[in-house]
Amino acid sequence: MPFALSAWWPIALIVLANLFLNLCSKSVPAQLNPFASLTVTYTVGAVVSALLYHLLNRGGSLLQEYQQLNWSSFVMGLSIIGLEAGSICLYKAGWPISTGQLVYSSILAVFLLLAGYLLYQEAITPSKVAGMLICLVGLYFLNR
């Protein structure tokens, strides 16, 4: 596990972004269709992404960058829609903000451990198995 600051700022960004994602998902009006909300979300996201691209890559060309795309960007777009629509629907279904994300993150951790092993030949060590079991025990206690 990397310990350099350059390796930890992405974790901080993900945590902060996920915090706001969950707070905003819970705040989407109950009567609003989640996909209507996401059209605004992704319009803002596209504009900000384009601005950041141009700010951080002076003289770069998005059109040239697009020529390097493969399937992953398109599937990631579909995945993000599922993630965010799922978050909105999770809270509309009554999950508390304090546990809904913990439940799906724990389940996700188990699936990612298996995916890492099956797709990328990442080792499943005793400490990873212990961590997975702790996640499952945590799920048990969260849902009691």
Side-chain angles (χ1 to χ4, degrees):
M1 181 181 321
F3 291 103
L5 180 61
S6 62
W8 283 95
W9 78 262
I11 297 292
L13 178 61
I14 291 167
V15 169
L16 186 63
N18 245 303
L19 173 64
F20 281 100
L21 170 67
N22 280 277
L23 292 173
C24 293
S25 294
K26 184 135 178 95
S27 298
V28 170
Q31 68 279 9
L32 179 63
N33 184 296
F35 297 104
S37 175
L38 290 175
T39 62
V40 173
T41 300
Y42 283 99
T43 300
V44 170
V47 169
V48 170
S49 293
L51 288 172
L52 286 172
Y53 174 84
H54 289 294
L55 284 172
L56 300 173
N57 296 292
R58 300 244 180 233
S61 169
L62 269 175
L63 294 178
Q64 286 179 342
E65 296 281 348
Y66 291 158
Q67 292 173 1
Q68 299 179 61
L69 289 173
N70 68 3
W71 61 270
S72 64
S73 296
F74 299 97
V75 174
M76 190 167 26
L78 295 173
S79 299
I80 291 170
I81 292 289
L83 175 64
E84 293 186 14
S87 291
I88 294 168
C89 293
L90 175 88
Y91 296 123
K92 285 185 176 198
W95 279 88
I97 198 164
S98 60
T99 57
Q101 195 274 341
L102 288 170
V103 169
Y104 76 70
S105 290
S106 297
I107 295 167
L108 176 62
V110 172
F111 279 101
L112 287 174
L113 183 73
L114 296 173
Y117 175 74
L118 294 172
L119 300 174
Y120 302 104
Q121 293 73 51
E122 295 175 358
I124 296 181
T125 63
S127 62
K128 287 181 182 178
V129 171
M132 184 172 54
L133 292 173
I134 290 169
C135 285
L136 295 173
V137 169
L139 282 176
Y140 169 77
F141 283 110
L142 280 173
N143 290 295
R144 281 180 44 124

